[in-house]
Each structure stands twice: as structure tokens, then as C-alpha cells.
Amino acid sequence: QVQLEESGGDLVQAGGSLRLSCAASGGTFSTYQMAWFRQPPGKEREFIAALSRTGGLTSYADSVKGRFTISRDNAKNLAYLEMIDLKHSDAAVYYCAAGRGSLSRSRYAYDEWGQGTRVTVSS
């Protein structure tokens, strides 16, 4: 079982950029597909991006395509989410997730979750 911990959430101005990190431990990181989800205030958790085990396949939500980039460094047991041109609608708690199945946009496909890191976009 892999354990995940997100970091990097911060307050940022609209139009700014931010990088989130996800550190994995207690499992074989390279055997998991990785994903990022977010939960805006008052809304359900939604898919943002997913990445295959070796980084060769990605999937992005339309709302972030072209602005967010998911990546991973299996040697360091780290996953990242680079965010640019942040919008007010991007404000949310962001969660890192790991799953053993095929690449999926569903939250229920992922077995392990971090505790989340909050991204706040100033008005």
C-alpha cells in the first residue's frame, strides 16, 4: 500500500502559476497510475489529470487542458502538477491519488489518496 502526501498549495493571484507535489512512500511507486483531483468549495471532487505508470500516457479534464501539466519522477517517488494561468474556478483542495488499474478519470478507480493541499486564487 502506497502512502501519499501533497504539498505546494498556496494563495496565488489569478493568472499566476503554482506547482503541486505528491510524495509517495510505502509502496512501489512505479506500479501505480497517478492522478490529481480537486474539490472546489461546495462541490464534489472532480478529475483533473492522470498519468500512466511510466509517464507515457496522460489524460486531462477539458477545464485544465493546456494550462496544467501532470508529471512524475519514479526514481524520486514524486508526482507533480504544474499549473499556469490560474483562474478563480481553479480554487480548490487538490488531491493526489494512486491506482493499480488502467488510466481512469473516475475517482473510484484510485485506491490511495493524500490528505489534500489547498489552492486559493485571489479575487
Side-chain angles (χ1 to χ4, degrees):
Q1 184 176 1
V2 66
Q3 296 171 311
L4 306 175
E5 183 176 7
E6 304 94 338
S7 62
D10 205 352
L11 171 66
V12 62
Q13 293 183 2
S17 62
L18 198 63
R19 184 190 69 203
L20 306 183
S21 298
C22 175
S25 62
T28 305
F29 181 65
S30 61
T31 66
Y32 291 87
Q33 63 173 317
M34 300 298 299
W36 288 93
F37 289 74
R38 70 186 182 190
Q39 188 164 12
K43 300 178 68 176
E44 295 184 355
R45 195 170 301 184
E46 63 179 337
F47 170 81
I48 297 301
L51 184 66
S52 61
R53 292 169 177 81
T54 60
L57 182 65
T58 60
S59 180
Y60 292 95
D62 288 343
S63 59
V64 305
K65 192 174 298 182
R67 298 189 300 118
F68 289 14
T69 302
I70 186 171
S71 61
R72 66 192 296 163
D73 186 338
N74 286 346
K76 297 181 178 180
N77 291 346
L78 290 173
Y80 304 97
L81 185 69
E82 292 278 354
M83 305 181 292
I84 64 170
D85 191 25
L86 283 161
K87 307 177 184 299
H88 290 127
S89 58
D90 295 321
V93 176
Y94 283 73
Y95 297 90
C96 177
R100 289 187 175 276
S102 59
L103 201 66
S104 177
R105 301 167 70 91
S106 172
R107 62 175 292 189
Y108 302 105
Y110 296 90
D111 305 302
E112 309 295 335
W113 295 81
Q115 295 300 305
T117 185
R118 182 176 294 277
V119 173
T120 304
V121 181
S122 62
S123 60

